[in-house]
Coordinates of all heavy atoms in Angstrom, one line a residue:
D574 N 32.9 35.4 6.4 CA 32.7 36.3 5.2 C 31.9 37.6 5.6 O 30.9 37.9 4.9 CB 32.0 35.5 4.1 CG 32.9 34.4 3.6 OD1 32.9 33.3 4.2 OD2 33.6 34.6 2.6
F575 N 32.4 38.3 6.6 CA 31.7 39.6 6.9 C 31.9 40.5 5.7 O 31.0 41.3 5.3 CB 32.4 40.2 8.1 CG 32.1 39.6 9.4 CD1 33.0 38.6 10.0 CD2 31.0 39.9 10.2 CE1 32.7 38.1 11.2 CE2 30.7 39.4 11.4 CZ 31.6 38.4 11.9
H576 N 33.1 40.5 5.2 CA 33.5 41.5 4.2 C 33.2 43.0 4.7 O 32.6 43.8 4.0 CB 32.8 41.3 2.8 CG 33.3 40.1 2.1 ND1 34.2 40.1 1.1 CD2 33.0 38.7 2.3 CE1 34.5 38.9 0.7 NE2 33.8 38.0 1.4
G605 N 37.0 33.4 8.0 CA 37.7 34.3 7.1 C 36.9 35.3 6.3 O 35.7 35.3 6.4
D606 N 37.7 36.1 5.5 CA 37.1 37.2 4.8 C 36.4 38.1 5.8 O 35.2 38.5 5.6 CB 36.2 36.8 3.7 CG 36.9 36.4 2.4 OD1 38.2 36.4 2.4 OD2 36.2 36.1 1.4
N637 N 40.8 34.8 1.5 CA 41.5 35.5 0.4 C 41.4 37.0 0.4 O 42.3 37.7 0.1 CB 41.1 34.9 -1.0 CG 39.6 34.9 -1.2 OD1 38.8 34.6 -0.3 ND2 39.1 35.3 -2.4
H638 N 40.2 37.5 0.9 CA 40.1 39.0 1.0 C 40.9 39.6 2.1 O 41.4 40.7 2.0 CB 38.6 39.3 1.1 CG 37.9 39.2 -0.2 ND1 37.6 40.3 -1.0 CD2 37.4 38.1 -0.8 CE1 36.9 39.8 -2.1 NE2 36.8 38.5 -2.0
H705 N 39.1 28.4 5.0 CA 38.2 29.3 4.2 C 37.7 28.6 3.0 O 36.5 28.7 2.6 CB 39.0 30.6 3.8 CG 38.2 31.6 3.2 ND1 37.1 32.3 3.8 CD2 38.2 32.2 1.9 CE1 36.6 33.1 3.0 NE2 37.2 33.1 1.8
G724 N 33.9 28.7 4.4 CA 33.0 29.7 3.9 C 33.4 30.0 2.4 O 33.3 29.0 1.6
H725 N 33.7 31.2 2.1 CA 34.2 31.6 0.8 C 33.2 31.6 -0.3 O 33.2 32.6 -1.1 CB 35.4 30.6 0.4 CG 36.0 31.0 -0.9 ND1 36.6 32.2 -1.2 CD2 36.2 30.3 -2.1 CE1 37.0 32.3 -2.4 NE2 36.8 31.1 -3.0
T726 N 32.3 30.7 -0.5 CA 31.4 30.6 -1.6 C 30.3 31.6 -1.6 O 29.7 31.9 -2.6 CB 30.8 29.2 -1.7 OG1 30.0 29.0 -0.6 CG2 31.9 28.1 -1.8
H727 N 29.9 32.0 -0.4 CA 28.7 32.8 -0.2 C 27.5 32.1 -0.7 O 26.4 32.8 -0.9 CB 28.8 34.2 -0.8 CG 30.0 35.0 -0.4 ND1 30.0 36.4 -0.6 CD2 31.1 34.7 0.3 CE1 31.2 36.8 -0.1 NE2 31.8 35.9 0.4
W768 N 29.9 40.1 -1.7 CA 30.8 40.9 -2.5 C 30.1 41.5 -3.6 O 30.8 42.3 -4.4 CB 32.1 40.1 -2.9 CG 31.9 38.9 -3.7 CD1 31.8 37.6 -3.3 CD2 31.8 38.8 -5.2 NE1 31.7 36.7 -4.4 CE2 31.7 37.5 -5.5 CE3 31.9 39.8 -6.2 CZ2 31.6 37.0 -6.9 CZ3 31.8 39.4 -7.5 CH2 31.6 38.0 -7.8
Ligands
FE2_2017 FE1 34.1 35.9 1.0

Side-chain angles (χ1 to χ4, degrees):
D574 295 83
F575 289 95
H576 289 262
D606 278 4
N637 50 318
H638 285 260
H705 185 64
H725 181 57
T726 65
H727 301 196
W768 62 265

